């Protein structure tokens, strides 16, 4: 597994595991826990979750999955915007810590911007750091204007939507983050609903390499410096496919073909969210 180094020197895998929609169906819990554990064994030791996912259900699933291997995992969670006040952040963090079964979150993110000033949320994050409740903090779904307003060199990452169908960040936000040495964490890197992985161009590039369409989509995002991806899967076969995507290198011809199918942005675009 390839790695990426954060600003503080911490090394994380470029392919992690997402957990959106986990913890919503009790009948799936054992499969979800098993999938996360298998992903950890395959080197996808970065696990991303949020208090929003299943209203804490996903964090509980993650907590069970990492119970005997917490030290192997780089744990990411996110706080709701309506909890992102000076008083709300520490309360939300304590609830997440209990569900996750740990005393410290490796990276704690603002899920998206809400009613509270960014400076107030950052102040709360910094107090959590001082208290040893979180090791780093970052943001999610913040556009370029937001990031400039944030003006925080200690922000560890910006987690945003990024895949061949949604590449608006390439015009300005991604280059800005790269210039700051701030990694971008790509969520929904495989798209939504399966349309991306059925696209004839993705399928053709996969055929050329004897690979799976998901590997092509992930390798496409990982071609960018300082980008990591967090696909979600509960299938052992899909987990193996995802884990091996970092080994796939797309050729110049592959990338040109993908550019024709999914043109890069030629002007600023509003930041897309899901």
């Amino acid at each position: 597994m390839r790695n990426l180094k954060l600003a503080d020197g911490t090394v994380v895998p470029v392919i992690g595991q997402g957990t959106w929609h986990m913890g919503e169906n009790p009948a799936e819990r054992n499969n979800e826990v098993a999938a996360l554990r298998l992903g950890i064994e395959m080197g996808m030791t970065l696990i991303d979750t949020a208090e929003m996912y299943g209203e804490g259900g996903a964090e509980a699933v993650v907590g069970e999955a990492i119970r005997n291997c917490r030290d192997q995992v780089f744990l990411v969670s996110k706080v709701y915007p309506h909890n992102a006040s000076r008083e709300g952040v520490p309360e939300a963090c304590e609830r997440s810590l209990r569900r996750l079964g740990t005393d410290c979150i490796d990276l704690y993110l603002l899920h998206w911007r809400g009613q509270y000033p960014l400076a107030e949320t950052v102040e709360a994050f910094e107090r959590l750091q001082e208290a040893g409740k979180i090791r780093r903090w970052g943001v999610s779904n913040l556009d370029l204007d937001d990031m400039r307003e944030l003006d925080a060199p200690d922000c560890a990452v910006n987690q945003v939507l990024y895949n061949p169908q949604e590449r608006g960040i390439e015009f300005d936000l991604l280059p800005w983050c790269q210039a700051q040495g701030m990694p971008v964490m790509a969520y929904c890197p495989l798209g939504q609903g399966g349309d991306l992985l059925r696209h004839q161009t993705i399928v053709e590039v996969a055929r050329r390499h004897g690979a799976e369409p998901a590997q092509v989509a992930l390798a496409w995002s990982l071609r960018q410096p300082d980008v990591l991806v967090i696909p979600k899967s509960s299938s052992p076969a899909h987990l193996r496919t995802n884990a091996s995507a970092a080994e796939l290198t797309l050729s110049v011809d592959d990338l040109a073909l993908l550019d024709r199918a999914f043109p890069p942005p030629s002007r600023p675009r509003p930041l897309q969210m899901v």
Side-chain angles (χ1 to χ4, degrees), residues 95-221:
R95 292 191 294 270
S96 290
L97 289 169
R98 286 196 295 272
R99 288 188 291 262
L100 291 164
T102 187
D103 57 3
C104 185
I105 295 170
D106 296 301
L107 176 60
Y108 199 40
L109 310 180
L110 171 64
H111 208 151
W112 66 90
R113 188 168 189 176
Q115 61 182 309
Y116 297 106
L118 293 174
E120 181 174 340
T121 304
V122 169
E123 178 188 336
F125 283 163
E126 289 174 342
R127 289 182 177 178
L128 285 176
Q129 276 186 302
E130 292 169 0
K133 301 292 186 178
I134 67 173
R135 293 192 173 92
R136 302 155 198 85
W137 63 268
V139 295
S140 179
N141 295 305
L142 263 61
D143 65 17
L144 181 57
D145 288 342
D146 293 327
M147 295 305 295
R148 285 173 169 158
E149 179 185 339
L150 184 69
D151 189 28
D154 292 333
C155 179
V157 304
N158 188 6
Q159 183 182 119
V160 293
L161 176 65
Y162 185 51
N163 60 56
Q165 292 174 317
E166 299 288 354
R167 53 190 300 188
I169 66 168
E170 290 180 2
F171 188 85
D172 48 16
L173 179 61
L174 179 58
W176 185 89
C177 289
Q178 290 170 329
Q180 310 303 311
M182 182 187 301
V184 165
M185 188 179 292
Y187 71 78
C188 293
L190 302 178
Q192 292 182 284
D195 290 346
L196 176 62
L197 302 187
R198 291 190 294 267
H199 193 283
Q200 61 182 7
T201 303
I202 296 283
V203 172
E204 168 58 21
V205 173
R207 185 195 62 78
R208 292 180 179 184
H209 290 271
E212 296 294 330
Q215 293 171 304
V216 172
L218 295 177
W220 179 89
S221 293

Side-chain angles (χ1 to χ4, degrees), residues 54-72:
E55 291 300 319
E59 289 182 323
V61 169
V62 172
E64 183 174 347
I66 67 173
R67 187 172 298 156
N68 297 317
C69 59
R70 172 66 183 94
D71 292 344
Q72 301 174 36

Side-chain angles (χ1 to χ4, degrees), residues 7 11-12 24 32 43 62 89 139 145 147 159 179 181 186 204 242 256 273:
V11 174
V12 297
E24 297 177 359
E32 292 167 348
V62 172
V89 166
V139 295
D145 288 342
M147 295 305 295
Q159 183 182 119
E204 168 58 21
N242 294 345
M273 297 172 52

